[in-house]
Amino acid sequence: MRDLPACRWVRTRLLHQGTGGRTAVIAVPYLWLLLFFIVPFVIVLKIAFSETQIALPPYQPLLYWTRDRVLEIKLNIGNFLFLLEDDLYWKAYLNSIKVAAVSTLLCLLLGYPMAYAIARARATWRIILLMMVVLPFWTSFLLRVYAWIGILKNNGLINNFLMWMGVIDQPIVMLQTDFAIYVGIVYSYLPFMVLPLYAVLEKMDLTLLEAAADLGSRPFRSFLTITLPLSMPGVVAGSMLVFIPAVGEFVIPALLGGPDTLMIGKVLWTEFFSNRDWPVASAVAIALLALLVVPIAFLQRSQRAQEGRF
């Protein structure tokens, strides 16, 4: 295939400046990280250290010129101190972590047997089973959450079926409860647990299990001593992929949870759009990011260990 003139021009300019193709390829993800993480993070961090004002934008600038034409910077840490003083934010953080941890555990209990069954299924069935796991992603996330409203409400599918079977006389209140939040989060994030587990279990050397069986090991003991330890990178990766977004989840608690549901994503939305207190909302976002740095670092370490193993 002949090179286009534009491609030849770009390659000539890169070589003329001493930049090879490998450097240009490596620079692409760093450029992506710079545009879509570093720049937004710096903007939010700047707003977090500013003061609120009734204007547009609703925060004061950090840098300003004095009458003596001296550039000064004005940092306000009161927004972060306010988060420490008001127990509303601590309760929201703790409740978000509790909901995310329980949801991650439920996803692991459901996703591990599913991933194990898919990895041990025949090759012809694996594609079909994996397609069933990712099939919900073909529809809108919002529509899937709305569908659960029709299933869980008092005159919804489950209550009507139980009353038709004669199991219950009165509808069970499931919508706008913590139960509905857990159902929505587990349903939405279960594929993020299944896929990393499947990737690890599918690559596992089955001759280790055959050798253990030849030596008299029972299947359950072989699972505990061989399969489970070797699948830990998938467990850690899947758990982090579920836990991290679940902590800041807003849509599912807002639609399926009750009015008293307290999660940090809902608090963040209220500060930004209802109270229009952008500095406090930015401080909440920075604190949430700092809270998630440890799990993210743990995920990266697990991924590096997994790459070294395989």
Side-chain angles (χ1 to χ4, degrees), residues 37-217:
F37 178 74
I38 301 298
V39 173
F41 174 76
V42 171
I43 294 174
V44 173
L45 184 64
K46 183 197 72 171
I47 299 175
F49 282 103
S50 63
E51 294 184 1
T52 306
Q53 67 176 1
I54 303 177
L56 188 66
Y59 57 88
Q60 298 179 358
L62 295 184
L63 300 175
Y64 62 94
W65 292 94
T66 63
R67 294 181 178 178
D68 300 331
R69 295 185 178 182
V70 177
L71 184 62
E72 291 189 354
I73 181 171
K74 184 178 181 182
L75 295 177
N76 176 31
I77 62 172
N79 299 318
F80 293 96
L81 296 178
F82 180 68
L83 300 185
L84 298 175
E85 296 172 354
D86 196 334
D87 59 351
L88 170 70
Y89 301 99
W90 280 107
K91 291 179 180 178
Y93 280 120
L94 293 177
N95 191 57
S96 300
I97 292 174
K98 184 196 74 174
V99 172
V102 173
S103 301
T104 302
L105 180 61
L106 294 175
C107 284
L108 180 61
L109 294 177
L110 292 174
Y112 199 103
M114 292 174 61
Y116 189 89
I118 296 174
R120 298 295 176 266
R122 294 181 179 178
T124 55
W125 279 97
R126 288 181 189 175
I127 298 177
I128 299 175
L129 295 175
L130 286 174
M131 184 70 70
M132 294 174 65
V133 171
V134 300
L135 196 61
F137 289 114
W138 292 13
T139 59
S140 169
F141 172 76
L142 196 59
L143 289 179
R144 283 183 278 138
V145 177
Y146 269 112
W148 276 106
I149 296 177
I151 296 174
L152 298 175
K153 63 183 181 181
N154 289 344
N155 60 346
L157 184 64
I158 295 178
N159 277 318
N160 287 337
F161 177 75
L162 294 177
M163 294 178 69
W164 177 73
M165 292 288 293
V167 178
I168 57 175
D169 297 327
Q170 298 293 330
I172 302 174
V173 178
M174 292 180 285
L175 191 63
Q176 296 185 343
T177 62
D178 290 344
F179 170 75
I181 296 176
Y182 287 125
V183 169
I185 293 178
V186 170
Y187 166 76
S188 300
Y189 292 103
L190 185 60
F192 296 106
M193 179 67 76
V194 173
L195 295 178
L197 282 170
Y198 166 78
V200 174
L201 292 172
E202 195 270 338
K203 294 179 180 177
M204 198 179 72
D205 188 0
L206 298 181
T207 58
L208 297 174
L209 298 177
E210 294 176 359
D214 292 339
L215 294 174
S217 177

